[in-house]
Amino acid sequence: MTKTWSMALLAALAVFATALPAIEVGDSGPDFKFDKSWNALEGATKLSDYRERVVLLEVWATW
Amino acid sequence: MKGVPHLIELNNKFRERGFEIVAVSDEDAGTIEKFVKDKGINYGIIKASNVLKTYGGTGYPSAWVLDVEGKVIWKGHPAGLTDAMVEDWVKDLAPVKVTKEVHKVLKNAVEAYNKGEFGKAESEVDKYLSSDDPVVKADAEFVDGVIEKRRAVGEAKAAKARDLGDLPKLAKLLEAEAKAFDGSEHGKKCGEEAKSIKASKEFKDCVKAQSELDKLKPKINDMKAEKAKKALEKIARDFPNTPAGKEAAELAKDF
């Protein structure tokens, strides 16, 4: 029982620890590196290589 | 994913005008690759981790639109994106690539433009602006218009940096423009302005202020509040009209 509770507590803490403030309109879009890409802008290895372009950043899943 | 055809359509319509899709998944490369092939996806697909978390998204799919400087100008569900919205965002961008079929004498100009050699494109176009052949003349005017638009985009950016007094950024912008417009009057002008900015006392102050702030920043949280405030205020006082000086003044308020 205690174990279940501490697991639950840990899970709850994990949620809090990872809940970063959302990026809103007017904020700078944080940069990130690409692990791999298909059909991307030639030579681009990170988001900031797209400056000069208007970028639609979509986070998706195949499922 | 029913959103795929919509994104393919946006990609087809707007990619060459400077609109890029960066669709990020953190699934394994094999799964993504199969999906890309099966659906005939022609827009940018990226494998990267933690992006949803970093951006504070709530689920799949989530989307953000970033302007040319990386600032968020829209967020929401990608299905909410319309042609009209994208049209509005790209209307002031110079085309990244000219894809219109032009008369063969202008092929060199278009090729130069597409390589980012705008100065060369301009001198090529100049040869045909007063051509007697109305088709050649019209095509030359078209390409000239594209170059003109690209120049205006660069000038707008430079004007913004000038207004902000951000001389390091302005010098960097002008140097890039000078290189891209090499061989033209505009390129020469940009190069000369960059040179005179870099020789100015104001520019040197900006660089000094930035370097002092950069040195101070990593240490600041380990310093006593009083001392940190004083150090920041000194930078603000020594370099009042510089971006780093203004930033230091802002930071000092927090102590």
Side-chain angles (χ1 to χ4, degrees), chain B residues 151 155 162 174-175 177-178 181-197:
Chain B
R151 181 167 50 213
E155 278 177 345
R162 215 176 274 126
L174 288 169
E175 279 176 342
E177 289 298 280
F181 281 91
D182 188 28
S184 74
E185 198 50 42
H186 177 63
K188 207 174 131 195
K189 238 179 64 194
C190 288
E192 280 164 5
E193 193 186 346
K195 222 169 152 183
S196 84
I197 287 170

Side-chain angles (χ1 to χ4, degrees), chain A residues 32 34 40-41 44 46-47 50 54-60, chain B residues 7 19-25 43-46 51 62 64:
Chain A
F32 58 87
F34 301 171
L41 188 67
K46 56 185 186 307
L47 186 68
Y50 282 73
V54 170
V55 175
L56 165 60
L57 170 67
E58 190 210 25
V59 186
W60 63 285
Chain B
L7 295 184
F19 177 73
E20 284 282 335
I21 297 174
V22 172
V24 179
S25 165
Y43 53 85
I45 296 280
I46 311 297
V51 178
S62 287
W64 292 261

Side-chain angles (χ1 to χ4, degrees), chain A residues 20-44:
Chain A
L20 300 169
I23 298 300
E24 301 291 344
V25 170
D27 293 342
S28 240
D31 198 10
F32 58 87
K33 281 205 184 107
F34 301 171
D35 294 336
K36 201 170 160 58
S37 66
W38 295 261
N39 314 315
L41 188 67
E42 212 180 312

Side-chain angles (χ1 to χ4, degrees), chain B residues 25-42:
Chain B
S25 165
D26 61 359
E27 290 164 271
D28 68 79
T31 309
I32 299 176
E33 181 144 334
K34 185 174 183 307
F35 189 82
V36 170
K37 279 197 182 138
D38 290 352
K39 304 277 175 181
I41 291 176
N42 59 359

Side-chain angles (χ1 to χ4, degrees), chain B residues 90-132:
Chain B
V90 301
K91 71 175 192 298
D92 294 327
L93 297 181
V96 185
K97 285 216 157 101
V98 175
T99 50
K100 188 178 135 115
E101 269 301 309
V102 292
H103 191 281
K104 65 177 188 300
V105 298
L106 286 155
K107 287 260 156 63
N108 284 342
V110 167
E111 206 172 282
Y113 182 89
N114 288 348
K115 277 197 280 186
E117 297 168 352
F118 309 127
K120 193 175 161 196
E122 206 177 304
S123 24
E124 276 295 321
V125 165
D126 277 348
K127 298 184 207 162
Y128 303 103
L129 277 173
S130 35
S131 166
D132 293 332

